[in-house]
Each structure stands twice: as structure tokens, then as C-alpha cells.
Amino acid sequence: MAKRTDARYDPKKYVQITTPEWVKNATLYELNIRQFSKEGNFVAVKKQIPRLKKMGIDIIWLMPIHPIGEVHRKGTLGSYYSVKDYYAINPEFGTEDDFRELVKAVHNEGMYVIIDWVANHTSWDNELVEKHPDWYMKSRKNTFQSTRWRDYDDIIEFDYKNSDLRKYMTEALKYWIKEFDIDGYRCDIASFVPIDFWENARKELDSIKPVFMLAEADDKELHRKAFDSTYNWNLWNILHLIATQNLSVKTLTEAYLAEHVSIFPKDGIRMNFVDNHDKNSWEGNQFSNFGVALKAVIVFNVMMDGIPLVYSGQEAGLDRSLEFFEKDPIDWIKHENEKLYTQLFTLKHKNQALWNGRFGGEMVRIMNDKMDQVISFVREKNGDKVLTVINLSDSHLIVQLDTSFDQGVYKNLFTGKKRDVGSTMIVTLDEWQYTVLYLMGNNNAD
């Protein structure tokens, strides 16, 4: 009998929370309630839930639903992130009953809902300022202070050295799950709040129901005991530079992917996004590659590992940044982006290779003869496989790939045609064009 190795040398599991099963192949939609419709309320959102379901959305992330502070308010309507009351609904959006009905409508479609949570700071006129002034950070002049080094003068920061504040905030988080049956949170600037607070909060929330937690941060350690998903800021920045400044694809593979596949925890989930409420410079026609490049980046974001995000209006070809402190409703027009997302999400749902975190397949690089311009990779899980080739340049290319480990009969996601892939594959790609081939178990491309 072989002698057992000393347990000190056994591999240790990094992520110690359990992501809910329903997140395994989920997609995210950030919903800007104010701008989502002319009405700008929950009732109007409810009407579009079936459309979002049809597009392939699984989790609705509602931007903050709480009343907004009036003291030092920005603009006419103020920032959602200047919270006046953690236990109330912003009357701009409707009533508690309206919100309950929206949550029920989302659940009835087999979808889930998370709400935005601002734990780092409040408005100046939150009742906690007068009731518990000791819960707030103070400046050298012993006055309340806004988030340091940022232009956020409509809010003031909490001081999490206070245990009573931690208990209050945890109870408030539990309240919305218990009373309104929401399924988790997107947590604003999560890394500005002590990680031990989040770790305890996650434990208490999971005792009520399994929750999905998204952190607006990219800190790896947040995945250990607190958050299922974090932001993929670095990926956004690199893809944006490639599209706007014609950088080499090696910037992506060597400066990001090599590190990502090596050190990012396998049970963790990065959130991949092209656009959101504060990273939206893909919008507008200021770049010569806008349009075709955008679609290539969307495809990459969904095909690589991570949970993909759609921001309100992306599916309608939104070509401007939405106003943040004023009313600025989205112009809902029929656009090809919605069809693209629907195709990609349909494949993601049924092909295990594209699932999230530990549920999906790891990205494996496929070598090609245009490595400065073309990204090519394969993901595989339980017999399901997806092979992706994307031209991230403005050149027409004929690309040769080494597919000796990935031979088989695949189906093209966008043409529906079958392709027999041998040890070498030749692909012709126009500028910013892409090819996605897949097969489903037992080498079956159907």
C-alpha cells in the first residue's frame, strides 16, 4: 500500500463559496431603470422581461432602486449611487408593490434578479448621518468626507471600523432577500469596503437562500469567501486599445490571457463586458473601426470564459452614452445586435464548453500563422466543444490554424453549415470578422 503524502502538500481549494447551480450558463443584463423607457419605472420594465428572456438573458441586474439624496444632488434627478434610505424604494421608479410584481415577473420567466448595492457611502441626507454620525469617515477638519481623490461630492463615506454599522448593513442586505425574494447583489466599488465584511455578509445571505454576488472590483481575493463574479476591467481596456489603436493581438494574449488562465481561480467567474453605465466609450462613431470591431469584441466576450454582460440599449445599437443625472430614454429600435446576442447566448446555454467558471471549459490556445492579428482558441467540456477564430484587425486575412487536436465535424454558428476540420484548417476572414464552430457531445455538430 502506497504511503499517503503529508496533507500539508495537498492542493488547497481557493474558492470556498458555492456558486448557485443556476449561474452555470447564465448571462447578465444591466438595467438602467430611469432610461429603460419613457416612463422610467418598474411597470415599464416588466413589459420587456419576455423580450429579454427571448434574447437569452438569465439574470437582471437592476441599478440602485433606493431613494436618492437631495443635498448636494448632481443634476436634476441625482445619482442612483447617492442612497438616502436602504430600506425604501425610489418613488421615481414606483412602489414596493410594483417592485414585488417585477421580481415575480422575472422569476416567472425562469430568470433571476439582483439589485445594485452601495455599501461604501450614502447621501448627505441619509437618516444615518444624524442618527449615527460616528459611522462615517471624518476629514482632518473632523467633517464628513466624500470618497477621497474622486469627484463624488454628493456622497459621504462610511467607516467600517464600526461593528454596529456592519450589523446594520448586513441586516439591510438580508431584508431585500427576505421581503422581496431577490437573488443577490451587484456591489458598488466593493473593494472599498473591507473584505471581511463581505465574507460574513455572504455567509449570512446564503443561510437565507443561495445568492449570486457580483463585485465591482477585480480583486482575486474577493472570490474566496464573498463574491461569485468580479469585473474584467483589464480585458475591456486591452480590447478597446486593439480596436482603437490597432495594437497587436499579442497585447491580449501575452498581457492578459496568459496570466488569466494561469492564476485566476478556476471556480471564479469574471464578468466580461463591452459596455456598462461607466465604461461606455465604445458608444458613438468616433472610431474608424466602430461597428465591425464592436461585433468582433462582443463575440470574443461571450466565447471566452466568464459571464457576459449586456447593458441597457446595446441590443438596440445604442450609439451614445446615456445621461446619468437627467432623463434620457433609450430609443428602442430593431437592430442586428439583438440577433447576434440571441445566437451567441443560445449556444452558450446548450454547449457546456461555454458555461461559467467551474461549470465550463478552459480556454486553450490554437496556434495560427497570423498571431499578431488573429485570436484563436478552443473550449471543451464533457464532449461539447467550441472553436473560435476572430480577426482583431482591419486587414483581410487568410489564416492557417493547427487543429490537429481538434479534428471533427463542426457546425458554423452563423451559417448553420457543417465543416469537417482536419489537422489543419484554413479560414478566410475580412476585417474584424469571426468564425465560431461547435459540436455537441459524441462529435455531433447538430
Side-chain angles (χ1 to χ4, degrees):
M1 183 176 179
K3 185 178 179 181
R4 190 188 186 285
T5 304
D6 191 321
R8 290 177 298 174
Y9 306 110
D10 290 346
K12 302 298 188 296
K13 187 176 175 63
Y14 185 85
V15 175
Q16 297 175 37
I17 56 174
T18 301
T19 295
E21 179 79 11
W22 49 264
V23 179
K24 65 184 179 183
N25 58 356
T27 61
L28 263 169
Y29 190 93
E30 181 185 4
L31 204 148
N32 188 328
I33 306 166
R34 177 182 290 164
Q35 316 301 14
F36 198 69
S37 65
K38 291 181 179 180
E39 299 88 342
N41 58 30
F42 297 133
V43 173
V45 169
K46 180 181 172 183
K47 296 175 183 177
Q48 290 208 50
I49 295 302
R51 177 185 68 80
L52 295 175
K53 172 67 174 180
K54 186 177 180 180
M55 190 173 79
I57 298 300
D58 301 294
I59 303 172
I60 302 293
W61 151 21
L62 297 174
M63 290 174 68
I65 63 171
H66 306 300
I68 295 170
E70 297 175 41
V71 177
H72 303 308
R73 171 176 284 193
K74 288 182 176 288
T76 305
L77 299 175
S79 169
Y80 313 107
Y81 295 90
S82 180
V83 175
K84 189 176 180 180
D85 186 346
Y86 287 102
Y87 282 90
I89 293 284
N90 183 350
E92 178 186 349
F93 302 151
T95 66
E96 285 192 1
D97 286 341
D98 292 336
F99 181 59
R100 290 182 196 279
E101 289 303 311
L102 175 57
V103 173
K104 288 179 183 178
V106 172
H107 287 166
N108 287 341
E109 291 286 352
M111 302 162 72
Y112 300 84
V113 59
I114 64 175
I115 64 173
D116 222 318
W117 195 262
V118 187
N120 177 69
H121 51 261
T122 71
S123 68
W124 287 81
D125 47 356
N126 190 301
E127 66 172 12
L128 299 177
V129 177
E130 289 194 7
K131 287 185 175 181
H132 303 284
D134 56 314
W135 288 7
Y136 288 85
M137 298 286 289
K138 301 297 193 303
S139 70
R140 290 189 293 176
K141 296 179 181 180
N142 199 35
T143 58
F144 296 110
Q145 66 178 27
S146 301
T147 301
R148 292 152 287 178
W149 301 91
R150 290 187 175 180
D151 180 24
Y152 293 163
D153 55 6
D154 59 334
I155 56 91
I156 49 178
E157 281 191 309
F158 277 129
D159 184 352
Y160 272 82
K161 291 193 291 289
N162 193 302
S163 58
D164 289 335
L165 165 62
R166 291 175 176 233
K167 181 179 180 181
Y168 170 89
M169 192 62 67
T170 305
E171 291 301 318
L173 285 162
K174 291 160 65 175
Y175 170 80
W176 291 93
I177 293 174
K178 289 179 177 179
E179 297 299 321
F180 295 89
D181 198 27
I182 67 166
D183 303 295
Y185 292 95
R186 177 268 185 187
C187 298
D188 187 59
I189 52 175
S191 57
F192 282 41
V193 176
I195 192 170
D196 59 333
F197 165 78
W198 291 123
E199 290 176 347
N200 178 72
R202 175 60 184 262
K203 187 186 303 182
E204 295 201 36
L205 297 181
D206 271 342
S207 70
I208 303 170
K209 67 185 288 190
V211 293
F212 173 71
M213 299 289 284
L214 166 64
E216 188 199 14
D218 60 3
D219 309 62
K220 186 177 76 169
E221 63 267 26
L222 288 170
H223 287 275
R224 285 181 64 86
K225 297 180 180 180
F227 289 93
D228 305 282
S229 187
T230 54
Y231 273 49
N232 214 337
W233 296 117
N234 198 19
L235 178 63
W236 187 95
N237 289 327
I238 290 173
L239 290 172
H240 194 259
L241 288 171
I242 289 174
T244 59
Q245 299 183 23
N246 297 313
L247 295 190
S248 168
V249 168
K250 288 185 179 179
T251 310
L252 172 62
T253 56
E254 297 180 9
Y256 173 73
L257 288 174
E259 180 177 342
H260 172 75
V261 300
S262 299
I263 70 172
F264 186 73
K266 304 304 179 187
D267 286 356
I269 303 172
R270 285 291 197 210
M271 184 188 76
N272 303 329
F273 59 94
V274 175
D275 196 4
N276 64 42
H277 68 268
D278 59 4
K279 271 286 191 184
N280 48 29
S281 54
W282 282 94
E283 296 168 346
N285 202 16
Q286 65 270 51
F287 305 121
S288 60
N289 294 326
F290 180 81
V292 285
L294 182 59
K295 291 183 178 64
V297 171
I298 288 172
V299 171
F300 181 78
N301 271 272
V302 181
M303 292 299 103
M304 77 162 284
D305 63 312
I307 187 167
L309 173 76
V310 180
Y311 179 51
S312 302
Q314 272 189 268
E315 71 272 37
L318 185 69
D319 61 357
R320 59 186 171 82
S321 298
L322 294 170
E323 292 290 337
F324 205 73
F325 311 118
E326 310 293 342
K327 184 64 180 167
D328 184 22
I330 296 165
D331 183 14
W332 287 108
I333 60 174
K334 194 69 177 176
H335 194 275
E336 58 189 351
N337 281 359
E338 184 160 359
K339 179 181 179 182
L340 176 60
Y341 276 120
T342 302
Q343 290 176 304
L344 294 170
F345 291 163
T346 297
L347 181 62
K348 181 178 179 68
H349 285 146
K350 69 181 182 180
N351 193 296
Q352 292 185 44
L354 299 181
W355 290 5
N356 302 321
R358 62 185 171 84
F359 301 104
E362 183 178 348
M363 291 181 70
V364 178
R365 190 181 196 181
I366 293 179
M367 305 302 291
N368 66 66
D369 63 350
K370 302 290 189 301
M371 301 296 281
D372 286 338
Q373 299 162 293
V374 175
I375 180 78
S376 50
F377 59 95
V378 66
R379 296 179 63 192
E380 185 173 10
K381 185 81 170 186
N382 294 332
D384 289 354
K385 182 180 286 193
V386 179
L387 195 160
T388 302
V389 187
I390 305 177
N391 179 6
L392 293 176
S393 79
D394 55 8
S395 299
H396 175 87
L397 300 172
I398 299 175
V399 188
Q400 180 172 310
L401 300 95
D402 176 8
T403 49
S404 53
F405 288 97
D406 301 296
Q407 300 180 57
V409 179
Y410 294 75
K411 179 177 282 189
N412 187 304
L413 175 62
F414 301 107
T415 68
K417 296 180 180 178
K418 291 187 177 181
R419 176 157 186 170
D420 192 349
V421 175
S423 59
T424 300
M425 183 171 73
I426 306 294
V427 180
T428 300
L429 297 170
D430 290 332
E431 59 176 353
W432 304 101
Q433 193 178 8
Y434 39 83
T435 294
V436 175
L437 305 176
Y438 71 93
L439 58 84
M440 306 289 295
N442 301 316
N443 204 35
N444 181 2
D446 292 324

